[in-house]
């Protein structure tokens, strides 16, 4: 039986559909709509990953952290021995224009935004949660504003798309060591392997599991190893072309 994500329960879906519009519509790729999560929404997650906002690959998949950054996150999860017991959420359900990121960080505290986001964080976690990882400054602020955050370890690291690879690898290496002490691996996972070296290698990536994607997703979605194999080329199979990035996505399949 093929594995795939059957989506949220009706009750959870009702909460997700109540997502408020962004506070400044032009600061977001608003016309593409929101993207909400990836992983387990049933309270079984032992680790919550919070990142910033969805990218173009996430819009294609309808799931968070699926593109190049998400495949780095999946590699991070693999080093913790987690194959399914996690959930990935974002500070914003809508994609933020990079030039507006710092300005929109200040809007995470808008009452309507905070109330809805915290309700999602609350609903997606349960007593099984063992740790929270905030990836990047937007995620750190969103977690800081989470009033009912469970009393579990919080690890703050750079976003997987950080332009400072040395700081990113140093922080992620330390985070893996810390989290291996508190997060129970899945039965089919292994948390005893190597962590990170001095540069990102292909072995530090993992493909997004089919169980995290909707039924019918093509086999290559969530695995951009073939894109990264071209030195100096793009990192994702999906991109927003300029100047019509508001209404156009380019999605390339492997040859």
């Amino acid at each position: 039986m093929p594995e795939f994500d059957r989506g949220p329960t009706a009750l959870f879906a009702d909460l997700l559909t109540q997502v408020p519009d962004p506070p400044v519509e032009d600061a977001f790729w608003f016309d593409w709509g929101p993207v909400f999560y990836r992983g387990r929404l049933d309270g079984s997650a032992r680790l919550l990953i919070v990142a910033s906002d969805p990218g173009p690959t996430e819009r294609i998949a309808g799931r968070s952290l699926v593109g190049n950054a998400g495949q780095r996150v999946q590699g991070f999860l693999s080093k913790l021995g987690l194959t399914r017991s996690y959930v990935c959420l974002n500070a914003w359900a809508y994609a933020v224009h990079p030039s507006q990121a710092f300005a929109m960080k200040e809007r995470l505290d808008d009452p309507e935004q905070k109330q809805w986001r915290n309700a999602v964080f609350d609903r997606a976690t349960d007593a099984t949660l063992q740790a929270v990882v905030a990836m990047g400054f937007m995620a750190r602020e969103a977690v800081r504003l989470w009033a009912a955050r469970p009393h579990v370890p919080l690890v703050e690291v750079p976003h997987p798309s950080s332009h400072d690879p040395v700081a990113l690898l140093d922080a992620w290496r330390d985070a893996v060591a810390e989290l291996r002490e508190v997060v129970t691996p899945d039965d089919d996972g292994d948390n005893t392997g190597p962590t990170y070296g001095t540069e990102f290698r292909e072995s530090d990536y993992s493909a997004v599991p089919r169980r995290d994607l909707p039924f019918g997703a093509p086999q290559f979605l969530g695995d951009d190893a073939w894109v990264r194999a071209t030195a100096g080329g793009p990192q994702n199979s999906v991109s927003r072309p300029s100047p019509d990035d508001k209404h156009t996505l380019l999605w390339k399949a492997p040859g």
Side-chain angles (χ1 to χ4, degrees):
M1 188 65 149
E3 287 193 282
F4 62 93
D5 179 15
R6 288 164 170 78
T9 64
L11 189 63
F12 211 131
D14 182 62
L15 172 60
L16 296 179
T17 59
Q18 296 173 40
V19 58
D21 288 346
V24 183
E25 187 174 306
D26 287 347
F28 295 78
W29 276 284
F30 177 73
D31 294 350
W32 289 107
V35 177
F36 298 111
Y37 76 99
R38 177 163 72 82
R40 315 286 81 76
L41 291 178
D42 59 3
S44 65
R46 292 196 284 272
L47 183 69
L48 166 62
I49 299 282
V50 180
S52 56
D53 63 302
T57 309
E58 285 70 32
R59 178 62 279 164
I60 292 290
R63 297 293 183 271
S64 297
L65 289 171
V66 174
N68 185 73
Q71 292 158 46
R72 284 185 171 186
V73 170
Q74 198 63 39
F76 179 90
L77 292 167
S78 296
K79 293 177 192 297
L80 299 177
L82 292 176
T83 62
R84 65 178 71 235
S85 300
Y86 55 81
V87 62
C88 303
L89 303 171
N90 277 319
W92 291 105
Y94 288 87
V96 183
H97 289 286
S99 62
Q100 297 294 316
F102 285 102
M104 290 305 101
K105 169 181 170 288
E106 303 305 317
R107 303 302 298 269
L108 288 169
D109 200 17
D110 286 12
E112 187 181 26
Q113 302 292 336
K114 182 171 64 175
Q115 180 179 359
W116 177 84
R117 184 180 62 250
N118 286 351
V120 173
F121 287 3
D122 291 343
R123 185 76 60 83
T125 54
D126 210 332
T128 56
L129 191 71
Q130 296 176 332
V132 176
V133 178
M135 294 187 163
F137 68 87
M138 198 81 81
R140 288 196 299 272
E141 181 67 6
V143 172
R144 185 186 72 81
L145 294 167
W146 184 12
R149 179 170 65 84
H151 295 292
V152 297
L154 169 62
V155 178
E156 297 179 339
V157 297
H159 191 274
S161 296
S162 169
H163 297 298
D164 186 343
V166 174
L168 174 61
L169 286 163
D170 286 348
W172 280 31
R173 189 185 307 112
D174 290 345
V176 167
E178 179 178 352
L179 290 166
R180 282 178 170 177
E181 297 297 319
V182 296
V183 176
T184 306
D186 285 314
D187 291 343
D188 57 345
D190 177 15
N191 69 350
T192 64
T195 58
Y196 294 98
T198 57
E199 61 182 4
F200 259 104
R201 298 189 171 96
E202 189 59 38
S203 58
D204 294 321
Y205 291 83
S206 289
V208 174
R210 309 309 299 172
R211 67 174 65 98
D212 287 4
L213 299 172
F215 182 79
Q219 285 298 121
F220 67 88
L221 183 62
D223 184 2
D224 289 324
W226 63 278
V227 181
R228 293 187 292 270
T230 303
Q235 299 295 298
N236 292 285
S237 59
V238 186
S239 61
R240 295 186 181 102
S242 181
D244 193 33
D245 58 344
K246 188 175 181 180
H247 299 109
T248 302
L249 292 179
L250 294 179
W251 187 16
K252 185 176 181 179

